[in-house]
Amino acid sequence: MDGTVKVACVQAESVVFDRAATIEKIDGIAAEVAANGARLALFPEAFIPVYPSSRWARHLAGWDGDARPLYARLARESLTIPGADSDRLADIARTHGLWLAVGANELERGTIYNSLLVYSPAGELALQHRKLMPTNHERLVWGLGDGTGLEAIKTEVGNVGGLICWENLMPLARFALYQSGIEIYLAPTADDSEDWHHSIRHIAREARAFVLSSCVFQTAASYPDDVPLAEGHELVGAGGSAILGPDGSYLAGPLWNEPGILYADLDPQHLYEARQRFDPAGHYHRPDVFRFEVPSAAPPLA
C-alpha cells in the first residue's frame, strides 16, 4: 500500500432469488459508497441472489418434498462467467471507479459454486475464487472450488485477496494469501456468531493485514412466500460485519441486526508497524524448514 485508502463493508439484504434486482441494488450501493470516497467495497457471501441458509437449504435434501424446483430456481438465478451479469458488475465497477468485491452463486453447467468476484475500476474481472469446501448443509447446494484465486492481486489500493466464510479457518488457505503479500484481506461470510469475530481478529493479527468481513443480513419477511423457510427468528442472518486493523482491533463495527455500510481509512503505516515483530511469510517464516505450494487449478472442462 502506498497511501491511506477508504474502504466500505456493505451489510445489506439480497433481493432474494432475484439476480437482476440484486445486481441493481449493488449498483445503487456502489454509487453511494463511491460518492462517500470509498475506493473498494465488499458485499457479503453469496449476495447474488441469496445465501442458502439452513432455514431453507435443508429442503434440498428432499426430506419434505421434491427439492428439484427450488434448486433449479437458485441455479437459474445464479450468474455465469462469462455472461451478461458479470459484464454488468464490471460496468458498475467501471462507472463508479471502484474495486467491487461481491459474493455470488456462480453456475457452470449444472453445478453452482460459491464465488468471490473482484472487479476493477477498469471494468475487468481481476479475481475469481470459488469456495474450496462448502460447509455442512451448503454441500447440498455448491460444488467444490479449486485453487484458482488463492492469491492476492496487486492493485493501486494495495494487495487484495480473500477467502469465503469457513475457508478462513483453513490454515493453508490463509497462508496461500499470506505468501502472496496480502494487505487487504476480504472475508465475506454468513457466520453471524461471536465466535466468528474471535477468528477474524486472530486472522488480522496473524496476517498482519487489514480485514474486511461483510456478513449476511437477511430477514424472513424478504423471502418469497413459496420458499419453504423453516420456523425461526425473523432474522435469518443477523450480520456482524466489521473492518479490522492488522493488530486485530476494530476500525468499524461490528454491525448487528440491521443493514448499513461501514467505512474505514486504511493507513499503510499500521501494516509496517504490525509487521516489525511478526510477518507470517517474511522474517517470521522458515522456508528452509517448511515447503508450501498451491497446485495449478483444475483445467476447464472441454
PDB file of all heavy atoms in Angstrom, residues 100-125:
ATOM      1  N   LEU A 100     -14.766  -3.532  -6.778  1.00  0.00           N
ATOM      2  CA  LEU A 100     -16.049  -4.084  -6.353  1.00  0.00           C
ATOM      3  C   LEU A 100     -15.887  -5.573  -6.089  1.00  0.00           C
ATOM      4  O   LEU A 100     -15.604  -6.354  -7.006  1.00  0.00           O
ATOM      5  CB  LEU A 100     -17.088  -3.847  -7.451  1.00  0.00           C
ATOM      6  CG  LEU A 100     -18.497  -4.354  -7.193  1.00  0.00           C
ATOM      7  CD1 LEU A 100     -19.146  -3.603  -6.030  1.00  0.00           C
ATOM      8  CD2 LEU A 100     -19.356  -4.219  -8.454  1.00  0.00           C
ATOM      9  N   ALA A 101     -16.063  -5.975  -4.831  1.00  0.00           N
ATOM     10  CA  ALA A 101     -15.926  -7.375  -4.422  1.00  0.00           C
ATOM     11  C   ALA A 101     -17.292  -7.895  -4.005  1.00  0.00           C
ATOM     12  O   ALA A 101     -17.922  -7.355  -3.090  1.00  0.00           O
ATOM     13  CB  ALA A 101     -14.926  -7.497  -3.269  1.00  0.00           C
ATOM     14  N   VAL A 102     -17.738  -8.956  -4.664  1.00  0.00           N
ATOM     15  CA  VAL A 102     -19.108  -9.434  -4.500  1.00  0.00           C
ATOM     16  C   VAL A 102     -19.121 -10.949  -4.340  1.00  0.00           C
ATOM     17  O   VAL A 102     -18.450 -11.670  -5.084  1.00  0.00           O
ATOM     18  CB  VAL A 102     -19.970  -9.056  -5.727  1.00  0.00           C
ATOM     19  CG1 VAL A 102     -21.391  -9.579  -5.563  1.00  0.00           C
ATOM     20  CG2 VAL A 102     -19.987  -7.557  -5.946  1.00  0.00           C
ATOM     21  N   GLY A 103     -19.907 -11.426  -3.381  1.00  0.00           N
ATOM     22  CA  GLY A 103     -20.156 -12.861  -3.263  1.00  0.00           C
ATOM     23  C   GLY A 103     -21.319 -13.254  -4.150  1.00  0.00           C
ATOM     24  O   GLY A 103     -22.340 -12.568  -4.191  1.00  0.00           O
ATOM     25  N   ALA A 104     -21.171 -14.388  -4.859  1.00  0.00           N
ATOM     26  CA  ALA A 104     -22.207 -14.774  -5.819  1.00  0.00           C
ATOM     27  C   ALA A 104     -22.320 -16.287  -5.924  1.00  0.00           C
ATOM     28  O   ALA A 104     -21.328 -17.019  -5.799  1.00  0.00           O
ATOM     29  CB  ALA A 104     -21.900 -14.193  -7.198  1.00  0.00           C
ATOM     30  N   ASN A 105     -23.538 -16.744  -6.173  1.00  0.00           N
ATOM     31  CA  ASN A 105     -23.755 -18.096  -6.660  1.00  0.00           C
ATOM     32  C   ASN A 105     -23.412 -18.082  -8.142  1.00  0.00           C
ATOM     33  O   ASN A 105     -23.997 -17.321  -8.917  1.00  0.00           O
ATOM     34  CB  ASN A 105     -25.206 -18.514  -6.459  1.00  0.00           C
ATOM     35  CG  ASN A 105     -25.564 -18.763  -5.012  1.00  0.00           C
ATOM     36  OD1 ASN A 105     -25.413 -19.859  -4.497  1.00  0.00           O
ATOM     37  ND2 ASN A 105     -26.063 -17.718  -4.338  1.00  0.00           N
ATOM     38  N   GLU A 106     -22.455 -18.910  -8.528  1.00  0.00           N
ATOM     39  CA  GLU A 106     -21.980 -18.945  -9.913  1.00  0.00           C
ATOM     40  C   GLU A 106     -22.320 -20.299 -10.519  1.00  0.00           C
ATOM     41  O   GLU A 106     -21.973 -21.344  -9.955  1.00  0.00           O
ATOM     42  CB  GLU A 106     -20.471 -18.707  -9.957  1.00  0.00           C
ATOM     43  CG  GLU A 106     -19.897 -18.754 -11.367  1.00  0.00           C
ATOM     44  CD  GLU A 106     -18.407 -18.966 -11.394  1.00  0.00           C
ATOM     45  OE1 GLU A 106     -17.751 -18.840 -10.329  1.00  0.00           O
ATOM     46  OE2 GLU A 106     -17.882 -19.278 -12.478  1.00  0.00           O
ATOM     47  N   LEU A 107     -22.966 -20.293 -11.665  1.00  0.00           N
ATOM     48  CA  LEU A 107     -23.399 -21.525 -12.323  1.00  0.00           C
ATOM     49  C   LEU A 107     -22.457 -21.886 -13.469  1.00  0.00           C
ATOM     50  O   LEU A 107     -22.161 -21.051 -14.327  1.00  0.00           O
ATOM     51  CB  LEU A 107     -24.819 -21.347 -12.872  1.00  0.00           C
ATOM     52  CG  LEU A 107     -25.422 -22.566 -13.586  1.00  0.00           C
ATOM     53  CD1 LEU A 107     -25.686 -23.696 -12.586  1.00  0.00           C
ATOM     54  CD2 LEU A 107     -26.712 -22.172 -14.309  1.00  0.00           C
ATOM     55  N   GLU A 108     -21.988 -23.131 -13.444  1.00  0.00           N
ATOM     56  CA  GLU A 108     -21.267 -23.682 -14.589  1.00  0.00           C
ATOM     57  C   GLU A 108     -21.888 -25.035 -14.904  1.00  0.00           C
ATOM     58  O   GLU A 108     -21.845 -25.949 -14.089  1.00  0.00           O
ATOM     59  CB  GLU A 108     -19.775 -23.838 -14.303  1.00  0.00           C
ATOM     60  CG  GLU A 108     -19.012 -24.323 -15.526  1.00  0.00           C
ATOM     61  CD  GLU A 108     -17.515 -24.398 -15.287  1.00  0.00           C
ATOM     62  OE1 GLU A 108     -17.103 -24.688 -14.142  1.00  0.00           O
ATOM     63  OE2 GLU A 108     -16.758 -24.163 -16.243  1.00  0.00           O
ATOM     64  N   ARG A 109     -22.480 -25.137 -16.095  1.00  0.00           N
ATOM     65  CA  ARG A 109     -23.279 -26.301 -16.455  1.00  0.00           C
ATOM     66  C   ARG A 109     -24.360 -26.496 -15.387  1.00  0.00           C
ATOM     67  O   ARG A 109     -25.120 -25.593 -15.127  1.00  0.00           O
ATOM     68  CB  ARG A 109     -22.385 -27.514 -16.673  1.00  0.00           C
ATOM     69  CG  ARG A 109     -21.440 -27.330 -17.893  1.00  0.00           C
ATOM     70  CD  ARG A 109     -20.472 -28.475 -18.041  1.00  0.00           C
ATOM     71  NE  ARG A 109     -19.750 -28.385 -19.300  1.00  0.00           N
ATOM     72  CZ  ARG A 109     -18.686 -27.604 -19.501  1.00  0.00           C
ATOM     73  NH1 ARG A 109     -18.230 -26.841 -18.524  1.00  0.00           N
ATOM     74  NH2 ARG A 109     -18.092 -27.583 -20.677  1.00  0.00           N
ATOM     75  N   GLY A 110     -24.427 -27.650 -14.763  1.00  0.00           N
ATOM     76  CA  GLY A 110     -25.483 -27.863 -13.776  1.00  0.00           C
ATOM     77  C   GLY A 110     -25.036 -27.696 -12.350  1.00  0.00           C
ATOM     78  O   GLY A 110     -25.791 -28.015 -11.420  1.00  0.00           O
ATOM     79  N   THR A 111     -23.804 -27.202 -12.129  1.00  0.00           N
ATOM     80  CA  THR A 111     -23.270 -27.085 -10.784  1.00  0.00           C
ATOM     81  C   THR A 111     -23.172 -25.622 -10.372  1.00  0.00           C
ATOM     82  O   THR A 111     -22.730 -24.772 -11.152  1.00  0.00           O
ATOM     83  CB  THR A 111     -21.872 -27.739 -10.697  1.00  0.00           C
ATOM     84  OG1 THR A 111     -21.994 -29.135 -11.004  1.00  0.00           O
ATOM     85  CG2 THR A 111     -21.273 -27.589  -9.308  1.00  0.00           C
ATOM     86  N   ILE A 112     -23.580 -25.335  -9.142  1.00  0.00           N
ATOM     87  CA  ILE A 112     -23.477 -23.997  -8.577  1.00  0.00           C
ATOM     88  C   ILE A 112     -22.245 -23.958  -7.673  1.00  0.00           C
ATOM     89  O   ILE A 112     -21.975 -24.900  -6.912  1.00  0.00           O
ATOM     90  CB  ILE A 112     -24.723 -23.630  -7.755  1.00  0.00           C
ATOM     91  CG1 ILE A 112     -25.999 -23.806  -8.597  1.00  0.00           C
ATOM     92  CG2 ILE A 112     -24.641 -22.189  -7.246  1.00  0.00           C
ATOM     93  CD1 ILE A 112     -27.288 -23.669  -7.792  1.00  0.00           C
ATOM     94  N   TYR A 113     -21.487 -22.860  -7.762  1.00  0.00           N
ATOM     95  CA  TYR A 113     -20.329 -22.641  -6.910  1.00  0.00           C
ATOM     96  C   TYR A 113     -20.529 -21.359  -6.106  1.00  0.00           C
ATOM     97  O   TYR A 113     -21.231 -20.439  -6.542  1.00  0.00           O
ATOM     98  CB  TYR A 113     -19.046 -22.518  -7.745  1.00  0.00           C
ATOM     99  CG  TYR A 113     -18.718 -23.761  -8.528  1.00  0.00           C
ATOM    100  CD1 TYR A 113     -19.158 -23.919  -9.839  1.00  0.00           C
ATOM    101  CD2 TYR A 113     -17.977 -24.792  -7.955  1.00  0.00           C
ATOM    102  CE1 TYR A 113     -18.874 -25.066 -10.564  1.00  0.00           C
ATOM    103  CE2 TYR A 113     -17.678 -25.947  -8.669  1.00  0.00           C
ATOM    104  CZ  TYR A 113     -18.141 -26.074  -9.970  1.00  0.00           C
ATOM    105  OH  TYR A 113     -17.852 -27.219 -10.686  1.00  0.00           O
ATOM    106  N   ASN A 114     -19.895 -21.317  -4.954  1.00  0.00           N
ATOM    107  CA  ASN A 114     -19.890 -20.121  -4.109  1.00  0.00           C
ATOM    108  C   ASN A 114     -18.641 -19.327  -4.466  1.00  0.00           C
ATOM    109  O   ASN A 114     -17.526 -19.752  -4.149  1.00  0.00           O
ATOM    110  CB  ASN A 114     -19.885 -20.549  -2.641  1.00  0.00           C
ATOM    111  CG  ASN A 114     -19.822 -19.371  -1.678  1.00  0.00           C
ATOM    112  OD1 ASN A 114     -19.629 -18.231  -2.067  1.00  0.00           O
ATOM    113  ND2 ASN A 114     -19.967 -19.669  -0.390  1.00  0.00           N
ATOM    114  N   SER A 115     -18.810 -18.180  -5.104  1.00  0.00           N
ATOM    115  CA  SER A 115     -17.672 -17.453  -5.659  1.00  0.00           C
ATOM    116  C   SER A 115     -17.503 -16.076  -5.042  1.00  0.00           C
ATOM    117  O   SER A 115     -18.485 -15.402  -4.701  1.00  0.00           O
ATOM    118  CB  SER A 115     -17.823 -17.311  -7.173  1.00  0.00           C
ATOM    119  OG  SER A 115     -17.746 -18.565  -7.807  1.00  0.00           O
ATOM    120  N   LEU A 116     -16.243 -15.682  -4.927  1.00  0.00           N
ATOM    121  CA  LEU A 116     -15.864 -14.311  -4.599  1.00  0.00           C
ATOM    122  C   LEU A 116     -15.312 -13.697  -5.875  1.00  0.00           C
ATOM    123  O   LEU A 116     -14.336 -14.199  -6.441  1.00  0.00           O
ATOM    124  CB  LEU A 116     -14.812 -14.287  -3.494  1.00  0.00           C
ATOM    125  CG  LEU A 116     -14.181 -12.922  -3.181  1.00  0.00           C
ATOM    126  CD1 LEU A 116     -15.217 -11.932  -2.696  1.00  0.00           C
ATOM    127  CD2 LEU A 116     -13.052 -13.078  -2.162  1.00  0.00           C
ATOM    128  N   LEU A 117     -15.940 -12.609  -6.321  1.00  0.00           N
ATOM    129  CA  LEU A 117     -15.577 -11.951  -7.574  1.00  0.00           C
ATOM    130  C   LEU A 117     -15.119 -10.539  -7.267  1.00  0.00           C
ATOM    131  O   LEU A 117     -15.801  -9.800  -6.540  1.00  0.00           O
ATOM    132  CB  LEU A 117     -16.778 -11.905  -8.522  1.00  0.00           C
ATOM    133  CG  LEU A 117     -17.506 -13.239  -8.762  1.00  0.00           C
ATOM    134  CD1 LEU A 117     -18.758 -13.017  -9.580  1.00  0.00           C
ATOM    135  CD2 LEU A 117     -16.576 -14.249  -9.430  1.00  0.00           C
ATOM    136  N   VAL A 118     -13.972 -10.159  -7.803  1.00  0.00           N
ATOM    137  CA  VAL A 118     -13.447  -8.813  -7.594  1.00  0.00           C
ATOM    138  C   VAL A 118     -13.255  -8.152  -8.959  1.00  0.00           C
ATOM    139  O   VAL A 118     -12.487  -8.649  -9.796  1.00  0.00           O
ATOM    140  CB  VAL A 118     -12.114  -8.828  -6.828  1.00  0.00           C
ATOM    141  CG1 VAL A 118     -11.607  -7.393  -6.616  1.00  0.00           C
ATOM    142  CG2 VAL A 118     -12.278  -9.524  -5.470  1.00  0.00           C
ATOM    143  N   TYR A 119     -13.976  -7.042  -9.167  1.00  0.00           N
ATOM    144  CA  TYR A 119     -13.925  -6.291 -10.419  1.00  0.00           C
ATOM    145  C   TYR A 119     -13.146  -4.996 -10.204  1.00  0.00           C
ATOM    146  O   TYR A 119     -13.265  -4.350  -9.164  1.00  0.00           O
ATOM    147  CB  TYR A 119     -15.335  -5.967 -10.911  1.00  0.00           C
ATOM    148  CG  TYR A 119     -16.132  -7.194 -11.281  1.00  0.00           C
ATOM    149  CD1 TYR A 119     -16.883  -7.884 -10.327  1.00  0.00           C
ATOM    150  CD2 TYR A 119     -16.133  -7.675 -12.590  1.00  0.00           C
ATOM    151  CE1 TYR A 119     -17.602  -9.018 -10.664  1.00  0.00           C
ATOM    152  CE2 TYR A 119     -16.863  -8.808 -12.931  1.00  0.00           C
ATOM    153  CZ  TYR A 119     -17.585  -9.476 -11.970  1.00  0.00           C
ATOM    154  OH  TYR A 119     -18.299 -10.597 -12.308  1.00  0.00           O
ATOM    155  N   SER A 120     -12.367  -4.632 -11.204  1.00  0.00           N
ATOM    156  CA  SER A 120     -11.516  -3.449 -11.102  1.00  0.00           C
ATOM    157  C   SER A 120     -12.236  -2.204 -11.605  1.00  0.00           C
ATOM    158  O   SER A 120     -13.231  -2.297 -12.338  1.00  0.00           O
ATOM    159  CB  SER A 120     -10.242  -3.660 -11.928  1.00  0.00           C
ATOM    160  OG  SER A 120     -10.517  -3.481 -13.311  1.00  0.00           O
ATOM    161  N   PRO A 121     -11.737  -1.020 -11.253  1.00  0.00           N
ATOM    162  CA  PRO A 121     -12.309   0.227 -11.783  1.00  0.00           C
ATOM    163  C   PRO A 121     -12.183   0.334 -13.304  1.00  0.00           C
ATOM    164  O   PRO A 121     -12.867   1.154 -13.917  1.00  0.00           O
ATOM    165  CB  PRO A 121     -11.497   1.323 -11.088  1.00  0.00           C
ATOM    166  CG  PRO A 121     -10.944   0.681  -9.864  1.00  0.00           C
ATOM    167  CD  PRO A 121     -10.695  -0.743 -10.235  1.00  0.00           C
ATOM    168  N   ALA A 122     -11.347  -0.501 -13.897  1.00  0.00           N
ATOM    169  CA  ALA A 122     -11.240  -0.536 -15.358  1.00  0.00           C
ATOM    170  C   ALA A 122     -12.291  -1.448 -15.984  1.00  0.00           C
ATOM    171  O   ALA A 122     -12.363  -1.570 -17.215  1.00  0.00           O
ATOM    172  CB  ALA A 122      -9.842  -0.998 -15.772  1.00  0.00           C
ATOM    173  N   GLY A 123     -13.117  -2.088 -15.148  1.00  0.00           N
ATOM    174  CA  GLY A 123     -14.166  -2.955 -15.659  1.00  0.00           C
ATOM    175  C   GLY A 123     -13.687  -4.343 -16.023  1.00  0.00           C
ATOM    176  O   GLY A 123     -14.228  -4.980 -16.934  1.00  0.00           O
ATOM    177  N   GLU A 124     -12.698  -4.846 -15.301  1.00  0.00           N
ATOM    178  CA  GLU A 124     -12.169  -6.182 -15.546  1.00  0.00           C
ATOM    179  C   GLU A 124     -12.441  -7.076 -14.343  1.00  0.00           C
ATOM    180  O   GLU A 124     -12.413  -6.615 -13.193  1.00  0.00           O
ATOM    181  CB  GLU A 124     -10.659  -6.121 -15.785  1.00  0.00           C
ATOM    182  CG  GLU A 124     -10.265  -5.276 -16.989  1.00  0.00           C
ATOM    183  CD  GLU A 124      -8.766  -5.047 -17.062  1.00  0.00           C
ATOM    184  OE1 GLU A 124      -8.100  -5.165 -15.996  1.00  0.00           O
ATOM    185  OE2 GLU A 124      -8.264  -4.754 -18.155  1.00  0.00           O
ATOM    186  N   LEU A 125     -12.698  -8.357 -14.608  1.00  0.00           N
ATOM    187  CA  LEU A 125     -12.782  -9.333 -13.528  1.00  0.00           C
ATOM    188  C   LEU A 125     -11.354  -9.685 -13.138  1.00  0.00           C
ATOM    189  O   LEU A 125     -10.673 -10.457 -13.817  1.00  0.00           O
ATOM    190  CB  LEU A 125     -13.553 -10.576 -13.980  1.00  0.00           C
ATOM    191  CG  LEU A 125     -13.683 -11.709 -12.946  1.00  0.00           C
ATOM    192  CD1 LEU A 125     -14.312 -11.215 -11.648  1.00  0.00           C
ATOM    193  CD2 LEU A 125     -14.476 -12.872 -13.535  1.00  0.00           C
TER     194      LEU A 125
END
